[in-house]
Amino acid sequence: MAKPPKISEAEWRVLEAAWAKSPLSAEQVVSALAGSGWNHRTIKTMLNRLVKKKALAYKVEGKRYLYRPKVSRDAC
């Protein structure tokens, strides 16, 4: 079994949004984290990091990327 990725506290908040409802576009993740005080670019950076860590997967749909979790909450 593959070792689960190391997830920072900030990345965890992004994953929480994905676990709550997916697939989500980047804009939907930004909306879900509106009260965080983070800039939309910060959230998109975290999405990219989570994809590189193989915690999130994405599918291109038109001009949007739709993100979904690749790991379970328990695995992290």
Side-chain angles (χ1 to χ4, degrees):
M1 183 173 186
K3 190 175 179 182
K6 292 191 185 247
I7 306 298
S8 72
E9 197 171 317
E11 291 167 341
W12 186 267
R13 292 176 67 186
V14 174
L15 273 175
E16 286 286 348
W19 285 321
K21 181 183 175 192
S22 68
L24 290 171
S25 68
E27 292 77 25
Q28 290 172 313
V29 176
V30 169
S31 293
L33 297 171
S36 68
W38 293 331
N39 183 300
H40 71 280
R41 284 187 255 160
T42 302
I43 295 170
K44 289 180 181 181
T45 297
M46 284 191 271
L47 287 169
N48 287 328
R49 284 184 191 165
L50 288 165
V51 167
K52 286 181 184 175
K53 290 181 177 186
K54 298 183 181 178
L56 284 179
Y58 69 90
K59 176 176 83 168
V60 179
E61 190 174 274
K63 292 184 178 184
R64 300 183 322 162
Y65 284 69
L66 297 177
Y67 296 90
R68 65 171 178 75
K70 278 186 78 173
V71 294
S72 69
R73 186 178 275 126
D74 293 336
C76 290

